[in-house]
Amino acid sequence: MTVAPVVPEVKPRRLSASPDVQLIFWLAGALMLAACVLPWALLRPNRLASGVYMNLPAVWVGVCAVLALALPLSARFLVRMAPLLSGLALALGFYLLGARMSAAMLDQSDIARASASSGVWVWLLGAGTAVYGAGQIRVPGRLWAWLSWLWLPVLIVLALTGQLAAWSVLRELDAQQARFLQEVGQHLKLVLTGLGLAVLIGAPLAVWASRRPRAADAVLGFANGVQTIPSLALLGLLIAPLGALATALPFLRQVGVSGIGTAPALTALTLYALLPVLRNGLVALRGVSPGALDAARGMGMTDNQRFWRVQLPLALPVWLSGIRQAAVLLVGVASIAQLIGAGGLGYFIFSGLQTAASDLILLGAIPAALLAIGVDALLRGLEVLLARQWGRG
């Protein structure tokens, strides 16, 4: 008679976030608790006048405090609830932003402004930190992971229904919509043209230098030297030589080359983008497995065929990473092009600095940040797509 072995009962392990993730949630909760007692709106009779700070109503202070305390506890004991609470916290921040701005603008004149105060920004920072922490939790089931994105449809609904229209930044956008679209277009033009020139110059240089170690050191040394020059100083240094060049060669002035304007801005942007394009290109091309190249040579491929069919496809995902870094860098650097008359979103940033109008600064800074995030996500997706494509091949 065979006796079956006794298998000890295994209790299901309780889901728990890692200590690092729990620390993220405790930090997020602390920030959100601090936001509850900070002012959420600043009401001013006009853009430049001093104003009156407004706090959250007592009921909402209580709701926010409970949610702030629930987040770190959920990461410790109810892990499945952490993504939902994180998304809900960020969505609540956007809802309260619109509600407080609308309440502040009741019975106010058209030139009055209701700005988001410190409480809004601290809350959004804390809730955004919680959303990031929720992304680090591996919870069984895809639905639970996606709940941390609850804030996105809420934000879209609030924007489409006009619930955020009383916010001073959007009122400034409404007042300067035509100029805003013009400067966004100019910002994109500067970034894409500078990036395109950097790729046209840097890609052949990287291919040429990848086979010549001494040339590679010289090229990278030049690109590194350019990166050490502050962007504002580089723009200033380009004014004199480009102005002299346009004076010596009048036909250049006819095509738009001068000491100020688009020409020095594009020159500076191209020089700044060269380093990531060159560095990643050299690393990518040199990092291709020699075995793959030997196999291609054994198949009878010529040098050009090996480069186009083997080396470049294998190096392209890493090379694109450098192009992505350059694109994100240029979105930020292009913001100072306004100082030499090249336009872009820096127009609103520097106009706000000159008049001490924070709303105008945000009107330039927020779209620039969103543009950088969008460019990064787009090129990162392209990297992943190419890596998968060549991996299958």
Side-chain angles (χ1 to χ4, degrees):
M1 180 177 179
T2 303
V3 179
V6 178
V7 179
E9 181 181 358
V10 179
K11 295 183 179 180
R13 184 180 178 184
R14 177 173 58 86
L15 288 174
S16 176
S18 67
D20 291 341
V21 173
Q22 291 179 32
L23 181 60
I24 292 175
F25 275 91
W26 279 109
L27 175 61
L31 289 171
M32 292 163 61
L33 275 177
C36 294
V37 298
L38 292 173
W40 275 57
L42 173 62
L43 177 61
R44 296 170 295 170
N46 57 63
R47 181 195 296 167
L48 303 178
S50 57
V52 179
Y53 288 100
M54 304 173 64
N55 292 329
L56 284 176
V59 173
W60 282 114
V61 170
V63 172
C64 292
V66 170
L67 186 54
L69 291 172
L71 271 170
L73 294 177
S74 68
R76 179 68 178 86
F77 300 108
L78 301 172
V79 180
R80 288 181 181 274
M81 296 299 296
L84 172 61
L85 293 178
S86 302
L88 182 62
L90 195 53
L92 180 62
F94 289 119
Y95 169 77
L96 290 178
L97 169 63
R100 292 311 294 153
M101 300 302 107
S102 298
M105 288 299 294
L106 285 177
D107 302 324
Q108 299 294 324
S109 65
D110 292 338
I111 62 173
R113 293 291 184 268
S115 303
S117 191
S118 56
V120 173
W121 303 118
V122 174
W123 178 274
L124 293 179
L125 176 61
T129 302
V131 169
Y132 170 77
Q136 309 304 307
I137 299 176
R138 298 294 178 261
V139 181
R142 293 185 177 180
L143 175 61
W144 291 99
W146 282 102
L147 287 176
S148 62
W149 287 88
L150 175 65
W151 61 272
L152 184 57
V154 172
L155 178 59
I156 293 174
V157 170
L158 290 174
L160 293 179
T161 57
Q163 299 300 309
L164 300 175
W167 186 21
S168 57
V169 176
L170 295 184
R171 290 177 69 88
E172 294 291 352
L173 173 60
D174 185 61
Q176 304 193 55
Q177 186 173 8
R179 185 61 186 263
F180 177 79
L181 294 176
Q182 174 186 335
E183 298 303 342
V184 168
Q186 177 66 7
H187 202 94
L188 282 171
K189 179 181 176 182
L190 288 172
V191 171
L192 294 178
T193 306
L195 182 64
L197 290 173
V199 172
L200 285 176
I201 297 171
L205 268 178
V207 174
W208 175 74
S210 65
R211 302 166 186 172
R212 299 167 177 83
R214 291 185 179 179
D217 293 340
V219 169
L220 285 178
F222 170 76
N224 276 309
V226 171
Q227 287 283 350
T228 63
I229 304 174
S231 54
L232 188 57
L234 182 59
L235 288 173
L237 291 172
L238 289 171
I239 292 176
L242 287 178
L245 189 63
T247 302
L249 302 173
F251 74 92
L252 291 178
R253 187 177 296 275
Q254 295 177 2
V255 297
V257 176
S258 63
I260 61 173
T262 303
L266 284 178
T267 304
L269 292 175
T270 302
L271 290 174
Y272 267 110
L274 271 178
L275 178 61
V277 173
L278 283 171
R279 182 179 56 205
N280 280 57
L282 287 171
V283 171
L285 292 171
R286 290 175 174 177
V288 174
S289 171
L293 297 177
D294 288 340
R297 186 180 293 107
M299 294 173 63
M301 290 187 182
T302 64
D303 290 343
N304 286 336
Q305 288 175 330
R306 285 199 304 274
F307 173 77
W308 289 107
R309 298 183 183 182
V310 179
Q311 190 175 18
L312 182 61
L314 292 175
L316 199 54
V318 177
W319 205 341
L320 273 177
S321 177
I323 296 175
R324 173 172 56 84
Q325 295 170 18
V328 174
L329 172 68
L330 293 191
V331 172
V333 175
S335 297
I336 67 169
Q338 169 62 24
L339 292 176
I340 57 171
L345 290 170
Y347 168 81
F348 299 104
I349 296 174
F350 290 108
S351 296
L353 289 172
Q354 292 171 358
T355 58
S358 60
D359 303 327
L360 283 177
I361 297 174
L362 290 175
L363 185 58
I366 292 177
L370 294 176
L371 182 60
I373 294 172
V375 168
D376 180 79
L378 181 64
L379 293 179
R380 190 183 295 273
L382 184 59
E383 288 176 43
V384 173
L385 180 64
L386 286 176
R388 290 178 179 174
Q389 183 68 29
W390 295 117
R392 291 174 184 173

